[in-house]
Short mmCIF file of all heavy atoms in Angstrom, two decimals:
data_model
loop_
_atom_site.label_atom_id
_atom_site.label_comp_id
_atom_site.label_asym_id
_atom_site.label_seq_id
_atom_site.Cartn_x
_atom_site.Cartn_y
_atom_site.Cartn_z
N THR A 1136 58.20 95.97 77.72
CA THR A 1136 57.99 97.37 78.10
C THR A 1136 58.30 97.56 79.58
O THR A 1136 58.02 96.68 80.40
CB THR A 1136 56.53 97.78 77.83
OG1 THR A 1136 55.65 96.87 78.50
CG2 THR A 1136 56.25 97.76 76.33
N GLY A 1143 65.71 105.50 92.55
CA GLY A 1143 66.77 104.80 93.25
C GLY A 1143 68.13 105.12 92.67
O GLY A 1143 68.25 105.66 91.57
N LEU A 1163 76.96 90.77 80.86
CA LEU A 1163 75.88 91.20 79.97
C LEU A 1163 75.69 92.71 80.00
O LEU A 1163 75.44 93.33 78.96
CB LEU A 1163 74.58 90.49 80.35
CG LEU A 1163 74.53 88.99 80.04
CD1 LEU A 1163 73.28 88.35 80.64
CD2 LEU A 1163 74.57 88.73 78.54
N SER A 1184 62.80 98.28 66.20
CA SER A 1184 62.35 99.06 65.05
C SER A 1184 62.83 100.49 65.20
O SER A 1184 63.35 100.90 66.25
CB SER A 1184 60.82 99.03 64.96
OG SER A 1184 60.26 99.75 66.04
N TYR A 1209 58.72 96.66 85.59
CA TYR A 1209 58.06 96.02 84.45
C TYR A 1209 56.62 96.48 84.33
O TYR A 1209 55.94 96.74 85.33
CB TYR A 1209 58.12 94.50 84.59
CG TYR A 1209 59.53 93.98 84.62
CD1 TYR A 1209 60.14 93.65 85.83
CD2 TYR A 1209 60.27 93.83 83.45
CE1 TYR A 1209 61.45 93.18 85.86
CE2 TYR A 1209 61.57 93.37 83.49
CZ TYR A 1209 62.16 93.06 84.69
OH TYR A 1209 63.45 92.60 84.73
N ALA A 1232 57.59 89.67 99.39
CA ALA A 1232 58.37 88.49 99.76
C ALA A 1232 58.22 87.35 98.76
O ALA A 1232 59.16 86.57 98.55
CB ALA A 1232 57.94 88.01 101.15
N ALA A 1268 70.11 81.34 76.51
CA ALA A 1268 69.80 80.11 77.24
C ALA A 1268 71.07 79.31 77.51
O ALA A 1268 71.26 78.77 78.61
CB ALA A 1268 68.80 79.26 76.45
N GLY A 1300 66.47 78.91 82.51
CA GLY A 1300 66.75 78.12 83.70
C GLY A 1300 65.58 77.21 83.97
O GLY A 1300 64.55 77.64 84.49
N SER A 1312 41.19 78.33 76.84
CA SER A 1312 39.81 78.81 76.72
C SER A 1312 38.93 77.63 76.34
O SER A 1312 39.35 76.71 75.64
CB SER A 1312 39.72 79.90 75.66
OG SER A 1312 40.09 79.40 74.39
N LEU A 1333 46.09 85.63 88.60
CA LEU A 1333 46.46 84.51 89.47
C LEU A 1333 47.62 84.90 90.37
O LEU A 1333 47.63 84.59 91.57
CB LEU A 1333 46.82 83.29 88.63
CG LEU A 1333 47.31 82.06 89.41
CD1 LEU A 1333 46.23 81.55 90.36
CD2 LEU A 1333 47.75 80.95 88.45
N GLY A 1358 37.66 82.30 92.76
CA GLY A 1358 36.74 82.28 91.65
C GLY A 1358 37.33 81.82 90.33
O GLY A 1358 36.68 81.93 89.29
#
Side-chain angles (χ1 to χ4, degrees):
T1136 55
L1163 290 171
S1184 68
Y1209 299 100
S1312 62
L1333 176 62

